[in-house]
Every structure is written in C-alpha cells, then in structure tokens.
Amino acid sequence: MALMIEIQNLDIVFGHKGAEIHAVKNAALNVPEGESYGLVGESGSGKSTILRAMVGIVPHWSGTIKIDGTQLEHKRSIASRKHMQMVFQDPYGSLHPRKTVNDTLSEPLAIHGLDNRDERIIRILNEVGLGPEFRFRYPHQLSGGQRQRVAIARALILEPRVLLLDEPTSALDVSVQAEILNLLSDLRRKHGLTYLMVSHDLAVVGHLCSKIAVMNRGEIIEEITEDQMRSGDVTHEYTRQLWTASHGYSREALQNFKEFA
Ligand code: ADP
Ligand code: MG
C-alpha cells in the first residue's frame, strides 16, 4: 500500500535563543493509505505540534513532510489544504458560539468553492449520526459529543483523504468517548481515510490504531504494533509504563509513573 503520510527529520523549535523549547526532535513516521496511526505520550511531549505543523498552523518546521507523495511547502495554497483536515481536542472551544451548525459547515464549502451545499450539509450530518434536525442549532444547544460530531462533520465535508485527530475524545465523558471512537472507525472504513491520531492515553489509540508511535520530550522513542499493544511486549520502559497505566488504570502504576529524561 502506498504511503499517505511520510515524515522525516522533523524538527520544531519555539522561542528565542537562550530560551528555546525543542518541541519536536528529529521525528519520523510513515502511515500507509487507509491506515490509522496513533501518537501517544504525556502532555507536553510534542504531539499536537506535529499535527499543527502538518496543517500549517505552526509554520517554522524543518525536515520533510510528504502527503500522498507530495512534499508540503511551508506556505499552503487553499487547494492543498482541502485534502488534510484536523479535528481539535476541545469541542467547546472549536465551534463559534454564535454560529449555527449550518454556518459552521457552510464556511469550508464557501472557502473551497464547492457547490450543492444543501445536499452536502445534510449528507454529512447524517454520516456523523446527527441528522438534518441539527442543522440550525447553536453550540450551546448541543452536548459535548454532539459538538464533536459537528467538528468531525466540518472536517469531513471537504472530503479529505487524511484526518488529523488531536485528542478527539479527551474532553468528553467516558460514556461518550467510545461512541465517538466507533464513529471515527466507521467513517475511516467507509471512506478509506488515513488517520493520524494523537492521545495521551494509550488505551484510546489502541482502540483505533494499527500502529502507535510513543513520544517522550519531543522524541519518538518507540513504534509499537497492534500485537505488542495487546501483549505489552514493548521495548522501552517508558512505553511499558504507558501500557500498564492503560490496562485497568492501575493506581500503583500511576503512582510509580516516572519521568524519563
Ligand atoms: P502535547 O500535544 O504532546 O501535549 P505540544 O505539542 O502541545 O505537546 O507541546 C510540546 C512543547 O512545545 C511543550 O513544551 C509546549 O509548551 C511547547 N509549545 C507548544 N506550542 C508552543 C508555542 N506556540 N509557543 C511556545 N511553546 C510551545
Ligand atoms: Mg496536545
């Protein structure tokens, strides 16, 4: 299968000389078309920064990012943005409070000059399990899970091939998390999408991803397969801690969680 995402030697530094934060260090990963790839690590390890560089929110990166074989420029044309969309962590902050669902979904269609807007909006509302009755609602009339469904609809209405998911369920109640993960899983299969999904929780990405990169302090320290995810047969001690913490959320494991420099 052809590679949809190829990242090599990715380096991202914030701040000025003397007070630099090396957020991403020499990162590399490959995601075949149609696969779902996870990126885990504690808060601050550089996960979101990688996704932000990919969609162009963080412009100052070095290295190579290729999507479907084409190298990304630092400045993106509108047309090139269509194929890769991102879903953000916080469904409360990511939807404009005074815009209806219809406004939110119309915007990307207008920017990219797509026609048949009514048809596209109704179709995508059905696909994310909301239905047309949600079309003229405001965010405050929606639950957290419904908001995240709108955010997913906004990302998918442009019919992208790659979806970047930044902790898409971590702001949601546990009962709703599984619903959203199942929805994402169904949508990927149905549309042959490629996912790169970030989480601080190995159990969440383990649910959805066939390969997982473990990040610690800006570095990818290990890549684990689905089999390793099941068996816990991992190489790095830091990964083992994440794995133990994700299996039953053992209090002891969490108490013994050590920082690795
Ligand atoms: P994660 O998503 O894994 O929690 P981030 O990618 O958000 O981590 O952050 C990685 C590091 O980069 C952190 O130390 C964070 O404080 C820093 N960082 C992220 N964005 C910025 C920014 N815009 N300016 C300065 N530092 C940043
Ligand atoms: Mg983050």
Side-chain angles (χ1 to χ4, degrees):
M1 192 63 100
L3 291 177
M4 183 55 92
I5 303 172
E6 288 169 83
I7 296 180
Q8 280 156 14
N9 309 113
L10 183 63
D11 251 72
I12 305 169
V13 180
F14 293 108
H16 302 287
K17 270 210 157 53
E20 287 166 337
I21 300 167
H22 205 157
V24 178
K25 299 173 191 162
N26 199 25
L29 59 87
N30 286 327
V31 188
E33 183 178 3
E35 293 280 308
S36 186
Y37 190 99
L39 203 49
V40 289
E42 278 177 284
S43 174
S45 56
K47 309 181 297 295
S48 297
T49 302
I50 291 184
L51 299 196
R52 291 198 190 112
M54 292 175 74
V55 291
I57 302 172
V58 167
H60 56 279
W61 48 274
S62 65
T64 311
I65 306 176
K66 283 188 194 169
I67 302 298
D68 199 18
T70 303
Q71 200 159 319
L72 290 186
E73 306 289 337
H74 285 76
K75 276 215 152 140
R76 308 288 154 75
S77 67
I78 287 181
S80 76
R81 283 187 233 152
K82 184 170 175 281
H83 303 297
M84 185 164 55
Q85 293 292 314
M86 182 155 162
V87 175
F88 297 89
Q89 174 171 5
D90 177 15
Y92 295 89
S94 74
L95 298 180
H96 193 291
R98 276 195 278 278
K99 286 185 180 164
T100 62
V101 170
N102 188 66
D103 296 335
T104 296
L105 298 179
S106 301
E107 213 167 57
L109 295 176
I111 290 171
H112 290 272
L114 297 179
D115 53 11
N116 300 328
R117 293 187 194 166
D118 288 331
E119 196 186 310
R120 288 178 195 270
I121 288 169
I122 288 164
R123 185 169 59 210
I124 203 71
L125 283 173
N126 285 327
E127 285 210 20
V128 298
L130 288 172
E133 66 270 28
F134 282 83
R135 187 169 173 189
F136 296 104
R137 294 201 194 165
Y138 288 92
H140 71 86
Q141 298 171 307
L142 305 174
S143 68
Q146 289 166 345
R147 287 175 195 224
Q148 204 56 317
R149 286 173 195 267
V150 174
I152 292 167
R154 172 176 55 191
L156 291 183
I157 200 162
L158 293 173
E159 300 176 18
R161 299 178 69 196
V162 177
L163 202 57
L164 306 180
L165 299 151
D166 193 357
E167 312 241 14
T169 64
S170 63
L172 304 175
D173 289 344
V174 175
S175 59
V176 184
Q177 285 189 5
E179 273 177 32
I180 298 295
L181 291 175
N182 287 331
L183 171 69
L184 288 169
S185 177
D186 292 345
L187 289 167
R188 182 173 65 83
R189 239 173 273 132
K190 185 169 172 201
H191 296 288
L193 295 164
T194 305
Y195 284 179
L196 180 54
M197 176 165 159
V198 158
S199 177
H200 63 275
D201 185 344
L202 189 54
V204 167
V205 287
H207 192 86
L208 207 75
C209 301
S210 49
K211 243 187 197 171
I212 298 165
V214 180
M215 275 193 93
N216 186 221
R217 296 175 185 243
E219 283 179 83
I220 293 179
I221 57 168
E222 183 167 5
E223 194 181 58
I224 59 176
T225 62
E226 246 174 327
D227 282 348
Q228 287 175 295
M229 177 65 205
R230 266 192 294 273
S231 65
D233 179 20
V234 296
T235 306
H236 204 287
E237 182 56 30
Y238 179 78
T239 311
R240 196 181 320 282
Q241 288 187 42
L242 283 181
W243 189 85
T244 308
S246 75
H247 278 70
Y249 307 96
S250 146
R251 225 164 253 289
E252 204 186 351
L254 288 172
Q255 266 164 11
N256 292 332
F257 207 94
K258 287 198 291 276
E259 295 261 312
F260 278 82

PDB file of all heavy atoms in Angstrom, residues 13-14 29 92 98 115 124 134 140 146-147 149 151 172 185 221 224 252:
ATOM      1  N   VAL A  13      11.223  24.062  16.820  1.00  0.00           N
ATOM      2  CA  VAL A  13      11.734  24.772  17.994  1.00  0.00           C
ATOM      3  C   VAL A  13      10.897  26.024  18.207  1.00  0.00           C
ATOM      4  O   VAL A  13      10.604  26.752  17.263  1.00  0.00           O
ATOM      5  CB  VAL A  13      13.223  25.159  17.783  1.00  0.00           C
ATOM      6  CG1 VAL A  13      13.765  25.904  18.998  1.00  0.00           C
ATOM      7  CG2 VAL A  13      14.064  23.924  17.490  1.00  0.00           C
ATOM      8  N   PHE A  14      10.489  26.257  19.456  1.00  0.00           N
ATOM      9  CA  PHE A  14       9.791  27.501  19.814  1.00  0.00           C
ATOM     10  C   PHE A  14      10.724  28.389  20.620  1.00  0.00           C
ATOM     11  O   PHE A  14      11.641  27.907  21.266  1.00  0.00           O
ATOM     12  CB  PHE A  14       8.555  27.209  20.659  1.00  0.00           C
ATOM     13  CG  PHE A  14       7.461  26.480  19.934  1.00  0.00           C
ATOM     14  CD1 PHE A  14       7.186  25.155  20.213  1.00  0.00           C
ATOM     15  CD2 PHE A  14       6.702  27.134  18.976  1.00  0.00           C
ATOM     16  CE1 PHE A  14       6.161  24.480  19.552  1.00  0.00           C
ATOM     17  CE2 PHE A  14       5.676  26.474  18.307  1.00  0.00           C
ATOM     18  CZ  PHE A  14       5.407  25.146  18.598  1.00  0.00           C
ATOM     19  N   LEU A  29       7.888   9.261  10.838  1.00  0.00           N
ATOM     20  CA  LEU A  29       6.830   8.246  10.855  1.00  0.00           C
ATOM     21  C   LEU A  29       6.248   8.090   9.452  1.00  0.00           C
ATOM     22  O   LEU A  29       6.318   9.009   8.628  1.00  0.00           O
ATOM     23  CB  LEU A  29       5.733   8.583  11.877  1.00  0.00           C
ATOM     24  CG  LEU A  29       4.959   9.892  11.773  1.00  0.00           C
ATOM     25  CD1 LEU A  29       3.748   9.741  10.855  1.00  0.00           C
ATOM     26  CD2 LEU A  29       4.471  10.303  13.151  1.00  0.00           C
ATOM     27  N   TYR A  92     -15.772  22.395  22.767  1.00  0.00           N
ATOM     28  CA  TYR A  92     -16.409  23.603  23.298  1.00  0.00           C
ATOM     29  C   TYR A  92     -15.749  24.841  22.712  1.00  0.00           C
ATOM     30  O   TYR A  92     -16.420  25.793  22.339  1.00  0.00           O
ATOM     31  CB  TYR A  92     -16.369  23.599  24.826  1.00  0.00           C
ATOM     32  CG  TYR A  92     -17.209  22.472  25.373  1.00  0.00           C
ATOM     33  CD1 TYR A  92     -16.664  21.223  25.574  1.00  0.00           C
ATOM     34  CD2 TYR A  92     -18.572  22.656  25.590  1.00  0.00           C
ATOM     35  CE1 TYR A  92     -17.439  20.169  26.009  1.00  0.00           C
ATOM     36  CE2 TYR A  92     -19.367  21.600  26.020  1.00  0.00           C
ATOM     37  CZ  TYR A  92     -18.797  20.361  26.221  1.00  0.00           C
ATOM     38  OH  TYR A  92     -19.572  19.312  26.630  1.00  0.00           O
ATOM     39  N   ARG A  98     -21.712  31.796  18.303  1.00  0.00           N
ATOM     40  CA  ARG A  98     -22.838  32.478  17.645  1.00  0.00           C
ATOM     41  C   ARG A  98     -23.083  31.981  16.225  1.00  0.00           C
ATOM     42  O   ARG A  98     -23.817  32.599  15.467  1.00  0.00           O
ATOM     43  CB  ARG A  98     -22.616  33.985  17.672  1.00  0.00           C
ATOM     44  CG  ARG A  98     -23.086  34.589  19.016  1.00  0.00           C
ATOM     45  CD  ARG A  98     -23.208  36.094  18.925  1.00  0.00           C
ATOM     46  NE  ARG A  98     -21.911  36.723  19.103  1.00  0.00           N
ATOM     47  CZ  ARG A  98     -21.357  36.950  20.290  1.00  0.00           C
ATOM     48  NH1 ARG A  98     -21.973  36.605  21.395  1.00  0.00           N
ATOM     49  NH2 ARG A  98     -20.183  37.530  20.376  1.00  0.00           N
ATOM     50  N   ASP A 115     -20.037  23.362  -4.704  1.00  0.00           N
ATOM     51  CA  ASP A 115     -21.476  23.594  -4.916  1.00  0.00           C
ATOM     52  C   ASP A 115     -22.323  22.519  -4.222  1.00  0.00           C
ATOM     53  O   ASP A 115     -21.804  21.749  -3.414  1.00  0.00           O
ATOM     54  CB  ASP A 115     -21.781  23.677  -6.417  1.00  0.00           C
ATOM     55  CG  ASP A 115     -21.245  22.471  -7.164  1.00  0.00           C
ATOM     56  OD1 ASP A 115     -20.834  21.505  -6.496  1.00  0.00           O
ATOM     57  OD2 ASP A 115     -21.226  22.504  -8.408  1.00  0.00           O
ATOM     58  N   ILE A 124     -23.611  15.026   5.257  1.00  0.00           N
ATOM     59  CA  ILE A 124     -22.577  14.863   6.289  1.00  0.00           C
ATOM     60  C   ILE A 124     -23.217  14.803   7.688  1.00  0.00           C
ATOM     61  O   ILE A 124     -22.744  14.083   8.563  1.00  0.00           O
ATOM     62  CB  ILE A 124     -21.476  15.958   6.174  1.00  0.00           C
ATOM     63  CG1 ILE A 124     -20.172  15.480   6.828  1.00  0.00           C
ATOM     64  CG2 ILE A 124     -21.878  17.266   6.787  1.00  0.00           C
ATOM     65  CD1 ILE A 124     -19.449  14.413   6.084  1.00  0.00           C
ATOM     66  N   PHE A 134     -30.414  18.878  13.223  1.00  0.00           N
ATOM     67  CA  PHE A 134     -29.392  19.622  13.973  1.00  0.00           C
ATOM     68  C   PHE A 134     -28.861  20.826  13.206  1.00  0.00           C
ATOM     69  O   PHE A 134     -28.078  21.604  13.708  1.00  0.00           O
ATOM     70  CB  PHE A 134     -28.224  18.695  14.330  1.00  0.00           C
ATOM     71  CG  PHE A 134     -28.531  17.794  15.493  1.00  0.00           C
ATOM     72  CD1 PHE A 134     -29.227  16.610  15.316  1.00  0.00           C
ATOM     73  CD2 PHE A 134     -28.144  18.159  16.783  1.00  0.00           C
ATOM     74  CE1 PHE A 134     -29.531  15.796  16.392  1.00  0.00           C
ATOM     75  CE2 PHE A 134     -28.443  17.347  17.867  1.00  0.00           C
ATOM     76  CZ  PHE A 134     -29.138  16.159  17.677  1.00  0.00           C
ATOM     77  N   HIS A 140     -24.501  25.923  22.006  1.00  0.00           N
ATOM     78  CA  HIS A 140     -24.987  25.782  23.390  1.00  0.00           C
ATOM     79  C   HIS A 140     -26.194  24.844  23.486  1.00  0.00           C
ATOM     80  O   HIS A 140     -26.577  24.423  24.570  1.00  0.00           O
ATOM     81  CB  HIS A 140     -25.292  27.152  24.013  1.00  0.00           C
ATOM     82  CG  HIS A 140     -26.505  27.828  23.449  1.00  0.00           C
ATOM     83  ND1 HIS A 140     -27.768  27.606  23.907  1.00  0.00           N
ATOM     84  CD2 HIS A 140     -26.643  28.712  22.446  1.00  0.00           C
ATOM     85  CE1 HIS A 140     -28.627  28.322  23.211  1.00  0.00           C
ATOM     86  NE2 HIS A 140     -27.970  28.998  22.311  1.00  0.00           N
ATOM     87  N   GLN A 146     -22.190  15.729  20.729  1.00  0.00           N
ATOM     88  CA  GLN A 146     -22.801  16.290  19.512  1.00  0.00           C
ATOM     89  C   GLN A 146     -21.904  17.361  18.898  1.00  0.00           C
ATOM     90  O   GLN A 146     -21.763  17.451  17.676  1.00  0.00           O
ATOM     91  CB  GLN A 146     -24.190  16.851  19.826  1.00  0.00           C
ATOM     92  CG  GLN A 146     -25.210  15.754  20.114  1.00  0.00           C
ATOM     93  CD  GLN A 146     -26.482  16.272  20.760  1.00  0.00           C
ATOM     94  OE1 GLN A 146     -26.533  17.411  21.255  1.00  0.00           O
ATOM     95  NE2 GLN A 146     -27.521  15.458  20.764  1.00  0.00           N
ATOM     96  N   ARG A 147     -21.289  18.172  19.755  1.00  0.00           N
ATOM     97  CA  ARG A 147     -20.358  19.187  19.235  1.00  0.00           C
ATOM     98  C   ARG A 147     -19.194  18.539  18.512  1.00  0.00           C
ATOM     99  O   ARG A 147     -18.758  19.020  17.463  1.00  0.00           O
ATOM    100  CB  ARG A 147     -19.792  20.029  20.387  1.00  0.00           C
ATOM    101  CG  ARG A 147     -20.773  20.978  20.972  1.00  0.00           C
ATOM    102  CD  ARG A 147     -20.131  21.650  22.159  1.00  0.00           C
ATOM    103  NE  ARG A 147     -21.149  22.301  22.954  1.00  0.00           N
ATOM    104  CZ  ARG A 147     -21.027  23.516  23.466  1.00  0.00           C
ATOM    105  NH1 ARG A 147     -19.927  24.194  23.291  1.00  0.00           N
ATOM    106  NH2 ARG A 147     -21.994  24.031  24.168  1.00  0.00           N
ATOM    107  N   ARG A 149     -19.211  15.729  17.050  1.00  0.00           N
ATOM    108  CA  ARG A 149     -19.734  15.222  15.775  1.00  0.00           C
ATOM    109  C   ARG A 149     -19.797  16.349  14.736  1.00  0.00           C
ATOM    110  O   ARG A 149     -19.520  16.135  13.548  1.00  0.00           O
ATOM    111  CB  ARG A 149     -21.119  14.593  15.960  1.00  0.00           C
ATOM    112  CG  ARG A 149     -21.075  13.232  16.644  1.00  0.00           C
ATOM    113  CD  ARG A 149     -22.470  12.709  16.962  1.00  0.00           C
ATOM    114  NE  ARG A 149     -22.413  11.604  17.899  1.00  0.00           N
ATOM    115  CZ  ARG A 149     -22.369  10.305  17.546  1.00  0.00           C
ATOM    116  NH1 ARG A 149     -22.427   9.962  16.271  1.00  0.00           N
ATOM    117  NH2 ARG A 149     -22.289   9.375  18.466  1.00  0.00           N
ATOM    118  N   ALA A 151     -17.803  18.953  14.720  1.00  0.00           N
ATOM    119  CA  ALA A 151     -16.405  19.226  14.364  1.00  0.00           C
ATOM    120  C   ALA A 151     -15.899  18.183  13.354  1.00  0.00           C
ATOM    121  O   ALA A 151     -15.163  18.506  12.420  1.00  0.00           O
ATOM    122  CB  ALA A 151     -15.525  19.240  15.609  1.00  0.00           C
ATOM    123  N   LEU A 172     -14.361  14.644  26.518  1.00  0.00           N
ATOM    124  CA  LEU A 172     -15.721  14.091  26.598  1.00  0.00           C
ATOM    125  C   LEU A 172     -15.869  13.116  27.767  1.00  0.00           C
ATOM    126  O   LEU A 172     -14.897  12.519  28.216  1.00  0.00           O
ATOM    127  CB  LEU A 172     -16.049  13.349  25.295  1.00  0.00           C
ATOM    128  CG  LEU A 172     -15.919  14.176  24.012  1.00  0.00           C
ATOM    129  CD1 LEU A 172     -16.147  13.281  22.797  1.00  0.00           C
ATOM    130  CD2 LEU A 172     -16.900  15.340  24.013  1.00  0.00           C
ATOM    131  N   SER A 185     -14.027   5.261  13.570  1.00  0.00           N
ATOM    132  CA  SER A 185     -13.609   3.998  12.983  1.00  0.00           C
ATOM    133  C   SER A 185     -14.489   3.637  11.765  1.00  0.00           C
ATOM    134  O   SER A 185     -13.975   3.247  10.701  1.00  0.00           O
ATOM    135  CB  SER A 185     -13.696   2.936  14.078  1.00  0.00           C
ATOM    136  OG  SER A 185     -13.372   1.700  13.590  1.00  0.00           O
ATOM    137  N   ILE A 221      10.239   7.596  20.674  1.00  0.00           N
ATOM    138  CA  ILE A 221      11.199   6.655  21.266  1.00  0.00           C
ATOM    139  C   ILE A 221      10.932   5.209  20.862  1.00  0.00           C
ATOM    140  O   ILE A 221      11.804   4.365  20.983  1.00  0.00           O
ATOM    141  CB  ILE A 221      11.222   6.765  22.810  1.00  0.00           C
ATOM    142  CG1 ILE A 221       9.817   6.542  23.402  1.00  0.00           C
ATOM    143  CG2 ILE A 221      11.780   8.117  23.242  1.00  0.00           C
ATOM    144  CD1 ILE A 221       9.840   6.341  24.904  1.00  0.00           C
ATOM    145  N   ILE A 224       5.073   0.886  18.212  1.00  0.00           N
ATOM    146  CA  ILE A 224       4.550  -0.428  18.598  1.00  0.00           C
ATOM    147  C   ILE A 224       3.388  -0.850  17.701  1.00  0.00           C
ATOM    148  O   ILE A 224       2.632  -0.029  17.194  1.00  0.00           O
ATOM    149  CB  ILE A 224       4.154  -0.496  20.092  1.00  0.00           C
ATOM    150  CG1 ILE A 224       3.083   0.530  20.449  1.00  0.00           C
ATOM    151  CG2 ILE A 224       5.347  -0.330  20.999  1.00  0.00           C
ATOM    152  CD1 ILE A 224       2.608   0.420  21.884  1.00  0.00           C
ATOM    153  N   GLU A 252      -1.375   1.795  41.309  1.00  0.00           N
ATOM    154  CA  GLU A 252       0.032   1.603  41.633  1.00  0.00           C
ATOM    155  C   GLU A 252       0.921   2.065  40.474  1.00  0.00           C
ATOM    156  O   GLU A 252       1.899   2.775  40.658  1.00  0.00           O
ATOM    157  CB  GLU A 252       0.271   0.121  41.920  1.00  0.00           C
ATOM    158  CG  GLU A 252       1.479  -0.119  42.789  1.00  0.00           C
ATOM    159  CD  GLU A 252       1.754  -1.616  42.927  1.00  0.00           C
ATOM    160  OE1 GLU A 252       0.902  -2.426  42.485  1.00  0.00           O
ATOM    161  OE2 GLU A 252       2.810  -1.945  43.448  1.00  0.00           O
TER     162      GLU A 252
END
